[in-house]
Amino acid sequence: MPLKQSNLVVFPVLLSLLFILSLSSGSAGLNTSLFFALFSESGQQLQTYVVQYLLLPRTLMALVCGAALGAAGVLIQRATRNSFASPATLGVNAGALLAIVAGTIAIPEFTQSWPVVVAFTGAVLTTVIVFKLSKSISDSPVNLVLVGMAISLSIGALSAGLLMFWENKLDGLYVWGAGNLVQHDFSSFNSSWPLISVFTLLALFLGHRLDLIELGDMQAGSLGVNVKQTVTLSLLIALLLSATVVSQVGMISFIGLISPHIAAGLGYRKTWSRILAASIIGALLLLSADIAARLVPLLLTDGHYSIPAGAMTTVVGAPFMIYLLSRRQANGSITGTVSRETGIRALFRADPMVFLLISGSLLALAAYGSLGSEWFALRWPRVLAAASAGAALGVSGLVLQSLMRNPLASPDVSGLTTSGVLFVVVGLVLFPGLERTELVFLSFAGSGFALFLLLSLSRLTGFQPQLFALGGLCLSAIAATLVNIALVLGSNQSSEVLLWLSGSTYAVSKELVIILCALCLLSLPVISSLWQKLDIMQFGEQWPQLLGIRLTPNLVILLTLVAILSSASVATVGGISFVGLMAPHICRVFALSSHKHLVPATAISGALLLVLGDWLSRSVMAPFELPAGLAVSGAGGIYFILLLLTGKYVQRR
């Protein structure tokens, strides 16, 4: 109790100090005369204008948006009874952002007039997909977060592709989407604070019912609580709060995760009090992040750039999530209830050799059609690059899914390819004249660094597949955020960077294709020779130990090969999403179970996916060319929905 009473003094003092600091932080650094210009009638006209029309609305916007995200985080965590859930980790923010981007392209007038409605629609659709897909795979609370963050990263790749293709129409939206609080008047604040206030007030009235739901569904029902209605209302209010924030300032990550945990640590147990405390803490955190986003560039550049506040929150929030997860692991309460069905259910029964023959024939036909007899000399490098990168990513995804025992693991959501992309992007920004062959070493360094961090985390906490997977997702979030910062600081190279992020075989060099092919020819046979160990290792740690298999050396070998294949693919074709996720699924859908057949089948399936994606990228909007990664991401989104529908149908039979 004394701790909570002291917060009545600490919170106002911190808010006042940060408010003054925010109004004193301009592009030239700290300047207290800016703050006093707000109250001075005889002050300089320019300073008064800067404070009243730039710094003041920005400060107020940070406060209300942070408060909204803090309240939304409490509602989501209470409704799902999942302490890892938040608007960022469940894909809510990413879905809202994609809706804004797509709405600006397709229905710009409506999106400009009703941005909250558009963002809310995207948030609802994404949340429904995340919950349905997670429930069809596993009941584990960590798996819910894994699904949400995997969907979030995939949606982010799709948003980046749209932003690149419609660059002129969406000018400035990429930086805004990273969580940019820059304001030029009070219009956004005036349209946001009434909605956020009303939604937060409604959330407080649900507090008592959410407290009763914490006792269990049966107990809450016996006390007169309509559990389903309360959970639905709580999630809808949380989505409305998040959508309001995204529609005005873009995607702010991890505030909704951190604030409720800090409020709980300060002793706020009841939901209504935790909502109020998390709102204040969220406001403090976001305003602090925004101040840091204005001051940090002064140490890096001449101060003419402003890092998006959303980037700063992710850099702090992702490590906090890893820390939170490691604490839960130490307490032995991480996994929750895990359902027996944790894989992809077979929908068809196919003979492995027949599947290999048919898929190989389809790959040959796709390659022949993509090459064309007239353009063979020009197209063979990109077709071979697509086939090699697809095979590399597909097998990498298969190995990760088997080792992690999670059907949502893949190179792009594990942090390996994302870190490789980060190193390449930083290299392009700092040294625009780099040759493509030189980017191979940067990509290797990025993926190797990510692998080192993940293996170190596994050694510190004891190798747990879910911790490894979630750590990789957090690493991906940090890498994606640092890419946004690199884009802001190197805006002259933004078009080239966005093309790289979207994934493209355009103008791929023959030297890189040869390197990638050589690495595939060396690595894939080694992985294939370990098929028996992979068959056993996918059942957990106990069976390999009983059968005398040394787990750690095999893990290091397999993960190193995955890092090599992933980084080589990034260096050659850029950031390609979904291939490493879809290719193993396709093979398992056809009832392939042994890695003796899965490794070659996944290599062929991955190659086929990317070759077809490259072909479609050149054909759909000819003579214009879409990035191959955008075509594959679109197909991947459709695939996820089909997987969900067909999986549910099989379970009901």
Side-chain angles (χ1 to χ4, degrees):
M1 181 64 70
L3 183 61
K4 288 196 287 186
Q5 289 178 347
S6 66
N7 293 335
L8 298 177
V9 177
V10 174
F11 283 158
V13 171
L14 286 176
L15 281 172
S16 301
L17 291 176
L18 288 174
F19 187 84
I20 295 172
L21 186 60
S22 179
L23 295 184
S24 304
S25 302
S27 60
L30 288 173
N31 184 357
T32 53
S33 62
L34 287 173
F35 171 74
F36 291 108
L38 182 65
F39 309 98
S40 175
E41 297 181 0
S42 60
Q44 295 184 16
Q45 185 176 2
L46 178 60
Q47 286 188 339
T48 304
Y49 179 86
V50 167
V51 174
Q52 291 183 352
Y53 295 99
L54 296 179
L55 296 180
L56 183 58
R58 179 171 183 162
T59 300
L60 295 175
M61 202 65 190
L63 292 173
V64 297
C65 289
L69 292 173
V74 174
L75 288 173
I76 290 177
Q77 290 179 12
R78 287 293 200 183
T80 61
R81 281 169 279 185
N82 185 342
S83 59
F84 301 108
S86 73
T89 57
L90 295 187
V92 176
N93 291 345
L97 176 62
L98 178 61
I100 291 291
V101 173
T104 304
I105 296 171
I107 45 173
E109 294 83 6
F110 183 83
T111 303
Q112 186 174 5
S113 302
W114 303 96
V116 177
V117 175
V118 175
F120 176 70
T121 303
V124 169
L125 291 175
T126 305
T127 304
V128 169
I129 291 174
V130 168
F131 274 90
K132 293 288 187 181
L133 185 58
S134 174
K135 190 174 181 180
S136 67
I137 293 174
S138 171
D139 293 329
S140 168
V142 178
N143 265 340
L144 175 64
V145 178
L146 289 173
V147 173
M149 294 190 73
I151 295 292
S152 180
L153 289 172
S154 302
I155 288 176
L158 184 58
S159 299
L162 294 175
L163 287 165
M164 189 218 64
F165 190 74
W166 280 276
E167 183 180 3
N168 294 329
K169 194 170 186 178
L170 301 173
D171 184 35
L173 202 59
Y174 192 89
V175 177
W176 171 85
N180 196 355
L181 288 166
V182 173
Q183 303 291 313
H184 301 292
D185 53 40
F186 288 91
S187 58
S188 295
F189 173 74
N190 290 333
S191 62
S192 299
W193 77 263
L195 293 174
I196 292 173
S197 300
V198 171
F199 296 149
T200 304
L201 188 61
L202 291 175
L204 293 175
F205 285 108
L206 293 174
H208 180 63
R209 285 191 275 177
L210 287 172
D211 287 333
L212 295 177
I213 291 176
E214 284 287 308
L215 301 175
D217 292 350
M218 293 184 61
Q219 291 85 342
S222 65
L223 293 172
V225 177
N226 188 326
V227 176
K228 185 175 181 180
Q229 182 187 72
T230 302
V231 169
T232 302
L233 285 174
S234 300
L235 290 176
L236 285 176
I237 293 173
L239 294 181
L240 285 167
L241 287 168
S242 302
T244 303
V245 173
V246 172
S247 66
Q248 299 298 330
V249 299
M251 194 162 66
I252 306 289
S253 300
F254 290 104
I255 294 292
L257 174 71
I258 299 174
S259 302
H261 283 281
I262 296 177
L266 292 175
Y268 295 94
R269 296 287 179 260
K270 293 187 177 181
T271 301
W272 72 268
S273 63
R274 189 173 296 185
I275 289 174
L276 291 177
S279 298
I280 297 173
I281 294 168
L284 291 171
L285 289 175
L286 186 53
L287 185 56
S288 300
D290 186 50
I291 294 171
R294 282 178 268 167
L295 297 180
V296 167
L298 295 173
L299 305 176
L300 305 176
T301 65
D302 55 5
H304 290 93
Y305 296 100
S306 178
I307 296 174
M312 301 301 297
T313 60
T314 303
V315 170
V316 175
F320 176 84
M321 188 170 183
I322 296 176
Y323 164 75
L324 176 66
L325 191 63
S326 63
R327 284 194 61 190
R328 288 303 180 95
Q329 170 63 27
N331 295 332
S333 58
I334 176 178
T335 55
T337 303
V338 181
S339 66
R340 289 175 294 176
E341 178 63 43
T342 58
I344 302 301
R345 308 195 73 179
L347 303 181
F348 309 98
R349 296 288 173 182
D351 182 85
M353 298 309 297
V354 173
F355 181 85
L356 288 172
L357 179 62
I358 293 176
S359 59
S361 301
L362 290 175
L363 175 59
L365 288 174
Y368 177 78
S370 182
L371 283 169
S373 57
E374 299 179 0
W375 305 100
F376 180 84
L378 291 176
R379 289 182 179 171
W380 76 261
R382 65 184 301 174
V383 173
L384 186 57
S388 301
L393 292 172
V395 174
S396 298
L398 172 67
V399 173
L400 289 173
Q401 289 176 18
S402 298
L403 296 180
M404 301 302 104
R405 302 189 294 281
N406 192 312
L408 295 175
S410 69
D412 48 324
V413 299
S414 67
L416 298 179
T417 57
T418 318
S419 299
V421 167
L422 170 63
F423 276 56
V424 169
V425 167
V426 172
L428 289 173
V429 170
L430 297 180
F431 308 101
L434 284 177
E435 296 291 335
R436 279 213 159 195
T437 50
E438 295 174 319
L439 300 180
V440 175
F441 299 100
L442 288 175
S443 182
F444 279 150
S447 296
F449 179 69
L451 180 61
F452 172 77
L453 289 180
L454 293 176
L455 289 176
S456 299
L457 177 64
S458 298
R459 288 191 62 185
L460 289 174
T461 57
F463 185 81
Q464 292 291 328
Q466 289 180 320
L467 179 57
F468 186 95
L470 195 52
L473 285 166
C474 294
L475 189 60
S476 294
I478 296 175
T481 298
L482 294 177
V483 167
N484 290 336
I485 295 176
L487 277 171
V488 174
L489 299 180
S491 56
N492 294 333
Q493 290 80 33
S494 60
S495 297
E496 184 180 2
V497 170
L498 284 173
L499 179 63
W500 190 276
L501 289 173
S502 301
S504 176
T505 59
Y506 178 76
V508 64
S509 66
K510 297 178 181 179
E511 294 82 3
L512 277 181
V513 175
I514 293 173
I515 293 174
L516 178 59
C517 286
L519 289 173
C520 287
L521 292 174
L522 292 173
S523 301
L524 295 182
V526 176
I527 295 175
S528 184
S529 67
L530 298 173
W531 67 270
Q532 289 179 316
K533 295 179 180 179
L534 277 169
D535 282 345
I536 298 172
M537 292 167 69
Q538 68 179 335
F539 293 109
E541 300 178 16
Q542 185 177 4
W543 280 104
Q545 293 174 356
L546 291 175
L547 296 173
I549 295 176
R550 299 179 62 190
L551 192 61
T552 303
N554 287 288
L555 282 174
V556 172
I557 292 172
L558 288 168
L559 290 176
T560 301
L561 291 174
V562 166
I564 291 173
L565 292 173
S566 301
S567 59
S569 300
V570 167
T572 306
V573 298
I576 299 286
S577 301
F578 275 114
V579 172
L581 195 65
M582 292 172 61
H585 287 192
I586 292 172
C587 298
R588 294 189 186 277
V589 162
F590 283 89
L592 273 66
S593 56
S594 173
H595 287 80
K596 180 180 181 180
H597 306 118
L598 277 172
V599 172
T602 303
I604 295 174
S605 300
L608 178 60
L609 285 172
L610 200 48
V611 169
L612 288 175
D614 182 59
W615 191 3
L616 288 174
S617 69
R618 290 186 278 107
S619 306
V620 171
M621 301 185 67
F624 301 102
E625 182 172 335
L626 286 169
L630 180 59
V632 175
S633 295
I638 297 173
Y639 165 79
F640 256 121
I641 296 174
L642 291 176
L643 176 66
L644 172 62
L645 295 176
T646 54
K648 282 291 183 183
Y649 173 76
V650 170
Q651 290 178 14
R652 280 198 292 261
R653 282 203 320 183

